[in-house]
Amino acid sequence: MTTRVRRPGRRRSPSLRTMTPLIILALTAAACGQSATQGGPAVSPRPLATSPGTESPGTAGPLPSGTATTAASATPGATSSAATSTAPPAPAASCTDRYFSGMTPAQRVGQLFMGGVSAAHPDEAQLRTLRDHHVGSIMLTGRSSAGTTVTRRLVDGFRGQADQVAGKRVGLMVATDQEGGRVQVLSGPGFSAIPSGLTQGSWPVTTLRTRAAGWAEQLKAAGVDLDLAPVADVVPAGLGTRNAPIGSFDREYGHTAGTVTSHSNAFAAGFAQSGVMTTLKHFPGLGQVIGNTDVSANVVDSVTTAGSSGLMPFRAGIRAGSPFVMVSSATYTKIDSKHLAAFSPTVIGQLLRRDMGFKGVVISDDLGNAVAVRSFTPAQRALNFLSAGGDMILTVRPSTVPAMAQAIRTRMQQDASFRAKVDDSVHRILAAKHGAGLLVCR
């Protein structure tokens, strides 16, 4: 996904009063907050019948491109073992099944969403919208220089408002965009200044893996479970900075599939070592485009095929166990000329799920504010993405959630096959949460 890069009273309702503690925590950095125990690495979800579908990439603005020297491949484990409970963990399937069976239909639909929340200035109305619609994941957006301790207090406040099932909280998944360079949401005391992907790509893979493990520890200390990185897009040297979403911001690790593969793997492996999940993005690659889907419509890749070398970083990352893949909102004419990738059963259901064997969570790029999807209503965006095979809808605009959620519930009542897809998606998301230690199963 892409994060936007910054350029140089009436009586309150009961629901609003419920949200007040969140805002107090958000706006008074020094307020007390109890730290939630963070679990370890993600595990692969249980095998599920996957139907064709499309997913779109996560929301991230134009970011750095990277020129890297080719180095030996790192062996990235997409998952790490850092269980913190003293009791033996319950099998993922039985644990997630218990949560799933105890949920209301509205709670299940809420798990399909990741809503954007400003890391520096959370908005009370937006938080109330997310809570009222049982949204199960949030993305910290914008820029915050508050540091790890203050961010953790903020996150703990959000977690305290998460839904409960049978008296147990359905752990809130917290994500952010911490690639490095011009794409780093969280900074300040406790956070390192992460260099651009281009710089990271010039390091030996062993160095990158070690440093990535340290960056992940910082995110973990701040209460973050998932980083919407690494960038697996390959920007050809001949295109370079003319590639608006990646190359113009030095986000890529290098200009060859080999360099991007080895270094995206090393980044993911370091994060797995520290128990923070990662997301390969932006499938099937934004390296060959000119326009940026955040700010432009009709972004087209007329080069990439299902067999292109640019897909190698994704294939390798999936083999290594990546728990999340973000799908782009561009159109790939040599793969599916009729749909945006996020809405394409060919891209998601066939290429990503069937051909590459991805069994984890498919997350969209921003479906709330990106210009690439503005010709579709919020309801159409949600239904198209899930119908194509996507699992988690990322929207940086929480105000789009009510219409999206209502459309999903209505379609579930009308269409048994769509309802089955939603059930599979919820299970995948719960399995990822189980792997991250966000579900209590004893």
Side-chain angles (χ1 to χ4, degrees), residues 282-286 301 304 328 330-337 339 341:
H282 310 77
F283 188 83
L286 284 175
D301 176 336
T304 301
S328 153
T331 299
Y332 298 80
T333 58
K334 292 190 175 179
I335 299 175
D336 180 354
S337 62
H339 302 93

Side-chain angles (χ1 to χ4, degrees), residues 3 26 57 68 75 79 96 106 167 170 181 209 223 248 253 265 276 306 320 332 339 351 371 389 433:
T3 297
T75 305
T79 64
T96 58
V170 185
R209 177 170 179 161
S248 66
Y253 290 109
N265 275 0
V276 177
Y332 298 80
H339 302 93
L351 182 56
V371 173
K433 288 189 172 186

Side-chain angles (χ1 to χ4, degrees), residues 74-107:
T75 305
T79 64
S80 73
S81 58
T84 55
S85 83
T86 55
S94 62
C95 176
T96 58
D97 285 343
R98 276 184 306 211
Y99 272 88
F100 180 86
S101 62
M103 287 179 170
T104 65
Q107 286 177 321

Side-chain angles (χ1 to χ4, degrees), residues 64-133:
S65 68
T67 305
T69 55
T70 304
S73 268
T75 305
T79 64
S80 73
S81 58
T84 55
S85 83
T86 55
S94 62
C95 176
T96 58
D97 285 343
R98 276 184 306 211
Y99 272 88
F100 180 86
S101 62
M103 287 179 170
T104 65
Q107 286 177 321
R108 292 175 186 172
V109 170
Q111 291 299 306
L112 303 173
F113 290 94
M114 176 178 285
V117 175
S118 170
H121 304 289
D123 179 88
E124 186 170 347
Q126 292 181 339
L127 290 170
R128 185 171 64 251
T129 296
L130 297 178
R131 182 176 182 274
D132 288 350
H133 289 84

